Amino acid sequence: MSPPSTESARLMVSESAKKLVQSLASNAEEGLSSEDAAQRLARDGKNVLQMAPPIPWWVRFVAQFESLMVGLLIAAAILSGFLGDWIDTVAILAIVILNAALGFLQEERAYQAIRALRDLSAPHAKVVRDDKLQVVAASDIVVGDLFQLEAGDRVPADARLIEAFNLQAQEASLTGESIPIAKDAAADLADDTPVSDRVNSVFLGTSVVAGKALGVVTAIGMKTEIGHIARLLDETRQEQTPLQKRLTQLGQILVAACLIIVAIIFVIQWLRGGKITEVFLTSVSLAVAAIPEGLPAVVTVTLAIGLQRMAKRNALIRKLPSVETLGCVTVICSDKTGTLTRNEMTVRRLWVFDAAWRVEGEGYAPDGGIFPIQTEDLDSDAPDSDAPDIDEPARSLPSAAPTSPPALERMLSCADQCNEATWNYDHESHKLEMIGDPTEIALKVVVAKAKGTHIQPYDSVLHENPFDSERKRMSRVVRYCNDELQMLVKGAPESVLAAATQIFIDGEVVPLTDAHRQCISARNAWMASQALRVLGFAFRRVDHSPEQWHREEELVFLGLIGMIDPPRRSVTDAVASCRRAGIRPVMITGDHPQTALAIARAVGIAGDQEKVLLGTAIVQMSDDELTQHVTQSSVIARVSPLDKLRIVQAWKRNDHVVAMTGDGVNDAPAVKTADIGIVMGITGTDVAKEAADMILTDDNFVSIVNAIEEGRGIYDNIQKSLHYLLACNSSEVLFMFVASLIGWPSPLLAIQILWINLVTDGFPALALASEPLGENLMNRPPRPMKEPVLTFERGRSILLHGLLMASVCLIGFGWVYMSDPERLAESRAIAFSILVFSQIFYAMGCRDSERNAFSIGIFKNHLLIAAALGSILLHFIVMSIPWTAEILGLAAMPWRDLPWVIALSLIPVSFVELRKYFFARQTVTADQATDVPSNAA
Ligand code: ATP
């Protein structure tokens, strides 16, 4: 099988560009060979701008010590040393270093993971090598490579333009000029022309705003213009997310509150005649106990784990704060083509005035064929078994005339030649690879299927007015072999029809009457209502004056082609899941309203009574009117990218948290304005990707919904860890506080508090952060954006749980101490063990706020089980080794008391779990009584 394309276009290259290509030992048609490119890469190195050297690991390690808590501890260690208590000094310093090492390792792992994810979204470029268009990493581009550019691309290296159509580049990053610069490949410029005036070249780091071009690389990496002026790029670390900032603030409030309590305890203990050093050390330890110092590490690790999980589910997060915002999303404004649909276009219908054809055959293979449809079949015939089932009222269509092959041939020529898709035929593997927009590939395929149809061969493309979503059409001026010049146009039928004044019928050009227009519109609407994406085709003769080549007017209308693009699998389920989660899915598309509605109904976005809001109506509306209307439709059609920005703003004015998808360069403002800007990884342009918060590697709507679920899960997990750490900390403070109120001596030693806080409860807190996603995440409404990290409810339950753990410690301590005040060391060892065990067991109760550990599966969080066992083991080890037991003050542990120590430690978690059990039962009973579905969206 050979590529069924017609003769390929020849390039019109200026003399100076030709010379340059020669001097670079390249070829303006075929590009470099792969071997040559590999040799040049080995010789010149990668096309990258040098980064500032990374911060050495030891500087990052030392940074771990920059906190109030560590300062307090080091002061305490020094003081102990002065007072001759060397064991405490060494022990405190050892714990501080251990804690810093753990924090350092966790943060490093998290940042490595985040950096690896960033590399996944590294830029690519379209180069011509071995006479084939290929996509390569931008860093692999070499001098002499030919690359293609189109609207939305980042320029991957400095290059001289060989060919450019309407190319405009945004060069502000290089020259400071904020207005896009029009480029001209034919301009002959002196060598010393300043960069800002070099209209025949493009430069690394700038971007293409409009048009398309082919360029030959003249410089890469640090040898480019931007490389000359760029200071070393600093790979700055991610800034804190809002949650991290709020947690820091919360930490500060907690510190202030606890310092007051600590001061009170200090005074009480001191007045009671405690040894000043011991009282001081205990107070410092208590202050350390109160500060949730494990939290920053937990948040970083949770975010990193979450980002990795999201990447596995095809969503790459570019801006860390978006992870939190994802959980608050209330509306998803999604493109149709490629996001909700598969973007696998297959032409199903051809129509010229007034005859129609059915197209058969699947995929890209030119098998199948085109078959005329009888007039009587037109109304009844459904175009495709893939088409969604739509109950459209039967339309009365104008009667069909006999088939008119001349118009069909011209329309297919136009579909083939006003088309940027290309074939790569691999002679070795006999495989045909298609490169380009699926809409255009589908057109190439149908031309190949229409065997026997004569396609007039052409000589060269003289000019192109590229497709853009504003005009909704594109055109090319081609020179045929007989030297005739024609402008070929294709686009949305309304757009093409608006520029047409004549129509091609039975081989003749006749004036386009209102009756013709009505007929064309009716055919267009009919195909669209069958979920077909419809394109209109037209042409006109032009002369050799290039001014004419921009004017898409006085066209001769040829006909319509309708193609099917079936909905993606699982989109219907994802839409249903959105509804359960209180999120409104909205389709925003450049396509025809009927096509949009048909697909929206098929996937469940639109109901039977849905009204489509049109882009043309939006243009007429004031901002206030749009704010009112925007929430009334779930399908918005024939939208231009600029309308998208107003749509996002209108939703936001309705107090919604908006996720919006985009891909083109003109989508960037809307993507940036949305709370979560989502850009397609496959079809998205570089410029749009730079504006994005999130990139979908599979362009799939389902991945958005998955990412929202992950976002909710991550926030939940951070809250679980926060809850756990604060409850543990408050148990220690309350235990010490009540004990000193009762008049007991300090029930825990400073070193014991440090040990628990910095070692044993850190592992379960981290493990809670990796809790698998809960089943109910998508069965509840979005979290309000302004909800505080610590709600009143949560604060109350933290205190209650802290009090429970403190109570069992008080019972354990009091039981032994009251029986014999001489057994103080023993009482401390018992209280210490109860505190360690109760905190470890309590972690099980923090896994879900509504469901108990049995119903979620006790062993489901392997890491938590490992952390709990690890912490328990560590506790037994330090208790069993005489010198560690000595340092921690555990030498007097009465082992025979272990069973009741464990029994007491189980009380807090049992209380928490039983409460959930009864609470859940009450909720179910209440739901049954009122007959309200608990998960109503
Ligand atoms: P969505 O906005 O959901 O991605 P879309 O792809 O239909 O949908 P646009 O890309 O803005 O949106 O296209 C708008 C219209 O322009 C299409 O309905 C089609 O009629 C026409 N069109 C699309 N691609 C091309 C193309 N390559 N050449 C000419 N016309 C096109």
Side-chain angles (χ1 to χ4, degrees):
M1 188 173 60
S2 66
S5 93
T6 52
E7 198 177 311
S8 66
R10 274 196 284 114
L11 283 174
M12 313 288 288
V13 185
S14 77
E15 279 309 311
S16 65
K18 262 187 205 154
K19 274 195 203 133
L20 180 76
V21 174
Q22 270 169 12
S23 70
L24 295 169
S26 185
N27 182 315
E29 305 271 339
E30 296 175 7
L32 299 173
S33 68
S34 304
E35 297 86 60
D36 194 358
Q39 280 165 10
R40 290 178 190 220
L41 184 66
R43 185 190 66 200
D44 302 337
K46 290 253 179 198
N47 173 35
V48 284
L49 293 174
Q50 256 169 19
M51 295 286 171
I55 307 167
W57 69 266
W58 58 267
V59 176
R60 300 198 301 271
F61 180 67
V62 171
Q64 296 286 329
F65 294 90
E66 292 165 3
S67 81
L68 172 72
M69 174 214 49
V70 175
L72 273 176
L73 282 177
I74 292 177
I78 294 172
L79 191 80
S80 302
F82 267 122
L83 299 172
D85 199 350
W86 287 105
I87 294 189
D88 265 5
T89 307
V90 173
I92 293 174
L93 289 180
I95 290 180
V96 167
I97 292 170
L98 185 65
N99 181 56
L102 283 178
F104 173 75
L105 287 179
Q106 282 154 9
E107 277 191 12
E108 280 306 292
R109 266 193 37 212
Y111 281 118
Q112 297 294 352
I114 291 171
R115 205 169 306 146
L117 290 182
R118 213 184 301 150
D119 289 347
L120 275 182
S121 54
H124 284 78
K126 282 165 275 171
V127 298
V128 182
R129 284 185 189 164
D130 303 319
D131 200 16
K132 276 188 229 154
L133 190 62
Q134 309 178 7
V135 179
V136 300
S139 58
D140 288 345
I141 279 189
V142 295
V143 171
D145 254 333
L146 297 187
F147 64 72
Q148 273 193 2
L149 286 177
E150 57 187 30
D153 283 349
R154 274 249 150 232
V155 178
D158 284 5
R160 166 74 161 87
L161 295 170
I162 295 180
E163 186 187 53
F165 297 125
N166 294 350
L167 189 75
Q168 291 192 25
Q170 172 59 265
E171 299 188 336
S173 56
L174 185 64
T175 61
E177 174 61 64
S178 59
I179 299 165
I181 311 289
K183 296 285 177 176
D184 178 7
D188 264 331
L189 302 172
D191 287 349
D192 57 353
T193 310
V195 173
S196 52
D197 295 339
R198 256 191 267 159
V199 289
N200 61 9
S201 303
V202 283
F203 304 98
L204 173 66
T206 62
S207 55
V208 178
V209 185
K212 50 180 288 196
L214 184 73
V216 60
V217 176
T218 50
I220 57 162
M222 293 306 279
K223 299 225 169 74
T224 56
E225 293 298 334
I226 201 145
H228 291 319
I229 56 167
R231 273 157 281 126
L232 295 183
L233 297 181
D234 189 12
E235 207 192 352
T236 41
R237 294 209 148 188
Q238 298 274 3
E239 59 168 311
Q240 284 200 322
T241 72
L243 176 66
Q244 284 172 320
K245 285 185 194 148
R246 272 187 284 166
L247 285 176
T248 313
Q249 283 165 3
L250 178 72
Q252 285 161 355
I253 297 171
L254 289 175
V255 169
C258 290
L259 283 181
I260 297 173
I261 299 181
V262 169
I264 298 173
I265 297 177
F266 178 86
V267 174
I268 296 177
Q269 300 258 10
W270 185 44
L271 289 179
R272 293 239 159 89
K275 232 170 80 188
I276 183 76
T277 47
E278 203 171 287
V279 172
F280 175 77
L281 265 187
T282 317
S283 306
V284 168
S285 322
L286 206 50
V288 172
I291 306 168
E293 56 284 311
L295 209 53
V298 167
V299 176
T300 322
V301 171
T302 317
L303 286 174
I305 297 173
L307 294 194
Q308 278 173 319
R309 277 209 296 225
M310 282 193 191
K312 281 200 195 115
R313 298 178 84 182
N314 302 315
L316 297 181
I317 295 290
R318 288 190 68 246
K319 296 174 191 160
L320 218 46
S322 325
V323 179
E324 290 159 33
T325 318
L326 272 171
C328 307
V329 166
T330 57
V331 53
I332 307 175
C333 296
S334 170
D335 281 345
K336 170 180 72 69
T337 312
T339 315
L340 294 162
T341 64
R342 291 188 218 161
N343 211 2
E344 289 165 10
M345 312 271 177
T346 313
V347 172
R348 287 287 175 236
R349 289 288 176 274
L350 307 172
W351 180 85
V352 297
F353 197 87
D354 188 25
W357 289 262
R358 187 179 76 234
V359 183
E360 290 193 353
E362 297 300 325
Y364 293 164
D367 308 330
I370 67 168
F371 303 93
I373 309 175
Q374 299 302 317
T375 321
E376 55 272 20
D377 290 343
L378 274 168
D379 296 319
S380 57
D381 181 60
D384 195 274
S385 53
D386 269 341
D389 227 3
I390 312 150
D391 294 328
E392 278 292 304
R395 282 167 210 282
S396 84
L397 293 167
S399 65
T403 56
S404 27
L408 180 67
E409 280 181 358
R410 267 190 189 263
M411 180 166 78
L412 289 177
S413 296
C414 182
D416 183 49
Q417 295 162 0
C418 183
N419 191 322
E420 294 178 56
T422 54
W423 311 77
N424 271 343
Y425 183 65
D426 189 337
H427 289 276
E428 277 166 29
S429 63
H430 301 289
K431 274 211 176 123
L432 196 61
E433 188 198 2
M434 306 285 300
I435 298 181
D437 174 6
T439 303
E440 302 202 328
I441 293 177
L443 294 176
K444 288 268 181 195
V445 173
V446 76
V447 173
K449 283 180 181 172
K451 297 172 192 96
T453 309
H454 174 69
I455 306 288
Q456 193 182 353
Y458 71 112
D459 173 71
S460 51
V461 177
L462 299 184
H463 182 74
E464 182 170 319
N465 297 305
F467 173 76
D468 76 59
S469 302
E470 291 289 337
R471 270 165 47 250
K472 296 190 173 38
R473 59 176 185 241
M474 73 167 281
S475 61
R476 265 184 171 183
V477 175
V478 300
R479 180 165 62 201
Y480 284 98
C481 297
N482 59 6
D483 207 30
E484 189 191 341
L485 263 52
Q486 275 188 23
M487 171 182 273
L488 306 177
V489 186
K490 77 172 193 305
E494 306 93 295
S495 165
V496 175
L497 205 53
T501 50
Q502 300 166 83
I503 182 166
F504 195 75
I505 301 180
D506 291 338
E508 283 184 30
V509 175
V510 296
L512 185 72
T513 63
D514 284 348
H516 291 130
R517 284 184 192 277
Q518 274 168 17
C519 174
I520 295 166
S521 302
R523 290 293 180 207
N524 178 21
W526 174 75
M527 286 203 221
S529 69
Q530 306 295 322
L532 292 183
R533 175 181 176 80
V534 191
L535 261 70
F537 296 80
F539 78 103
R540 90 177 160 105
R541 294 199 172 82
V542 288
D543 59 29
H544 285 79
S545 53
E547 306 84 67
Q548 279 210 5
W549 300 349
H550 298 277
R551 288 172 34 216
E552 292 166 335
E553 55 190 32
E554 292 174 10
L555 304 178
V556 182
F557 194 84
L558 287 169
L560 302 170
I561 294 185
M563 51 189 81
I564 192 82
D565 178 18
R568 281 178 181 273
R569 273 173 219 105
S570 326
V571 160
T572 315
D573 290 344
V575 167
S577 165
C578 278
R579 295 203 184 284
R580 281 196 305 277
I583 302 167
R584 169 115 174 248
V586 174
M587 175 193 281
I588 300 189
T589 176
D591 214 337
H592 191 281
Q594 293 287 348
T595 316
L597 192 59
I599 300 279
R601 282 186 186 153
V603 298
I605 288 183
D608 289 344
Q609 306 301 321
E610 193 72 48
K611 288 210 171 63
V612 181
L613 181 60
L614 278 176
T616 41
I618 292 178
V619 175
Q620 312 284 324
M621 288 181 197
S622 69
D623 284 348
D624 287 343
E625 283 166 338
L626 184 57
T627 310
Q628 272 176 22
H629 282 85
V630 79
T631 53
Q632 288 162 20
S633 307
S634 295
V635 181
I636 314 184
R638 283 294 188 232
V639 170
S640 76
L642 291 180
D643 303 331
K644 278 187 167 181
L645 176 63
R646 292 189 62 217
I647 294 170
V648 176
Q649 290 167 334
W651 273 105
K652 284 177 94 169
R653 280 195 295 274
N654 279 300
D655 285 334
H656 277 276
V657 180
V658 192
M660 161 76 98
T661 67
D663 45 21
V665 56
N666 298 338
D667 290 341
V671 165
K672 217 174 193 148
T673 307
D675 297 287
I676 298 282
I678 305 166
V679 171
M680 305 300 136
I682 304 170
T683 55
T685 56
D686 300 340
V687 172
K689 282 181 191 165
E690 269 162 34
D693 300 299
M694 184 165 103
I695 294 177
L696 297 183
T697 52
D698 63 349
D699 292 13
N700 192 342
F701 179 82
V702 178
S703 304
I704 306 178
V705 182
N706 290 344
I708 290 180
E709 187 181 17
E710 291 285 352
R712 289 181 173 199
I714 291 173
Y715 196 87
D716 252 26
N717 283 358
I718 291 179
Q719 275 196 327
K720 283 172 202 165
S721 303
L722 173 75
H723 184 115
Y724 174 71
L725 285 173
L726 291 186
C728 290
N729 289 4
S730 54
S731 68
E732 292 151 28
V733 176
L734 286 169
F735 177 35
M736 298 284 280
F737 187 58
V738 177
S740 57
L741 285 185
I742 297 175
W744 289 339
S746 180
L748 289 176
L749 293 177
I751 198 75
Q752 294 173 338
I753 299 177
L754 287 180
W755 176 257
I756 295 180
N757 228 37
L758 299 185
V759 184
T760 51
D761 70 4
F763 296 115
L766 269 181
L768 275 176
S770 62
E771 182 70 24
L773 292 185
E775 281 162 19
N776 282 333
L777 283 174
M778 294 302 269
N779 286 343
R780 59 183 195 215
R783 170 171 50 84
M785 194 76 156
K786 294 201 176 92
E787 187 185 274
V789 208
L790 203 61
T791 54
F792 178 73
E793 281 292 303
R794 194 172 280 279
R796 210 176 49 180
S797 101
I798 286 173
L799 272 183
L800 178 70
H801 298 171
L803 197 63
L804 272 172
M805 286 187 276
S807 308
V808 286
C809 292
L810 284 165
I811 294 172
F813 182 86
W815 191 270
V816 182
Y817 180 73
M818 299 288 272
S819 67
D820 179 3
E822 290 298 308
R823 290 168 65 198
L824 178 60
E826 232 174 278
S827 334
R828 279 185 177 147
I830 282 182
F832 175 72
S833 297
I834 294 177
L835 196 56
V836 167
F837 291 138
S838 62
Q839 290 190 355
I840 294 173
F841 298 151
Y842 171 67
M844 292 289 170
C846 292
R847 292 176 56 201
D848 194 301
S849 54
E850 283 154 27
R851 291 178 316 146
N852 62 46
F854 292 101
S855 62
I856 33 179
I858 292 218
F859 299 105
K860 226 170 175 181
N861 185 345
H862 307 298
L863 218 58
L864 183 61
I865 298 292
L869 291 178
S871 288
I872 292 173
L873 197 69
L874 203 63
H875 183 70
F876 280 117
I877 291 174
V878 291
M879 282 204 309
S880 315
I881 302 173
W883 63 270
T884 49
E886 185 82 38
I887 294 175
L888 284 178
L890 294 173
M893 177 70 196
W895 290 94
R896 60 177 189 286
D897 292 335
L898 204 57
W900 69 264
V901 162
I902 291 182
L904 268 181
S905 309
L906 280 168
I907 291 177
V909 69
S910 312
F911 175 87
V912 170
E913 294 297 80
L914 278 174
R915 196 169 167 271
K916 279 187 214 164
Y917 177 74
F918 285 114
F919 184 74
R921 277 175 62 111
Q922 268 170 18
T923 323
V924 172
T925 329
D927 280 352
Q928 281 164 350
T930 50
D931 205 19
V932 175
S934 55
N935 293 329

